[in-house]
Amino acid sequence: MANVSHSRGDMSTHPDVSEMRTRYDRMLGGRDVALVDGPVFLVGLYCAVSPWILHYTASQPALVTHNLIVGIAIGLLALGFTAAPARMYGLSWAMCALGIWMIVAPWVVGDSPDAGVAVNNIVIGALALILGLLCAGTAAKSAPRA
């Protein structure tokens, strides 16, 4: 059996170094917005739990369900951006659409929401829209030209 152990900190002599570098480069895929994935997930998480944080579960039951579903959707998009960036950054426009929908949802889904509920959804929607535009702009910039 071959001895494939190497000295600590020296990867240049590892037998699979070229394959590991290729896999690492392919996994990153030239992503410029890797730092956006975390905030997108946090926006989705906050959107999902915001009805319980702001205590409007009794006054706006339809908006509670809505925010939970949209928050989970945003969180799943963030996980997709992280897991398969080359395939998922095309869905950045869906993130923008969810952001716009979150801005108007208190008046469409809710029943005469108070100012706190409206401002909460406007802030979540604006953040989702801005982060979606960042992802979409970067995806368009790094996409191969036809």
Side-chain angles (χ1 to χ4, degrees):
M1 186 165 204
N3 182 11
V4 292
S5 61
H6 54 276
S7 63
R8 191 170 189 84
D10 183 23
M11 288 296 293
S12 63
T13 60
H14 193 279
D16 295 327
V17 71
S18 62
E19 180 184 342
M20 289 188 300
R21 283 187 183 148
T22 305
R23 185 181 301 166
Y24 182 74
D25 290 339
R26 186 178 63 237
M27 199 170 78
L28 284 181
R31 295 180 348 160
D32 294 333
V33 290
L35 294 176
V36 176
D37 299 346
V40 169
F41 183 76
L42 291 176
V43 166
L45 181 65
Y46 176 75
C47 179
V49 299
S50 65
W52 292 276
I53 292 173
L54 297 179
H55 304 290
Y56 62 88
T57 54
S59 64
Q60 300 287 333
L63 208 51
V64 170
T65 306
H66 169 270
N67 279 16
L68 179 64
I69 292 170
V70 172
I72 290 171
I74 292 173
L76 288 174
L77 278 173
L79 291 175
F81 292 159
T82 303
R87 285 187 254 156
M88 290 296 292
Y89 275 124
L91 289 176
S92 301
W93 295 109
M95 179 84 174
C96 296
L98 284 173
I100 292 169
W101 173 247
M102 282 299 294
I103 292 171
V104 299
W107 297 279
V108 176
V109 177
D111 183 31
S112 61
D114 63 357
V117 173
V119 167
N120 178 59
N121 275 29
I122 289 170
V123 168
I124 292 171
L127 287 172
L129 179 62
I130 290 167
L131 291 171
L133 288 172
L134 278 173
C135 291
T138 304
K141 181 178 72 173
S142 64
R145 305 275 176 185

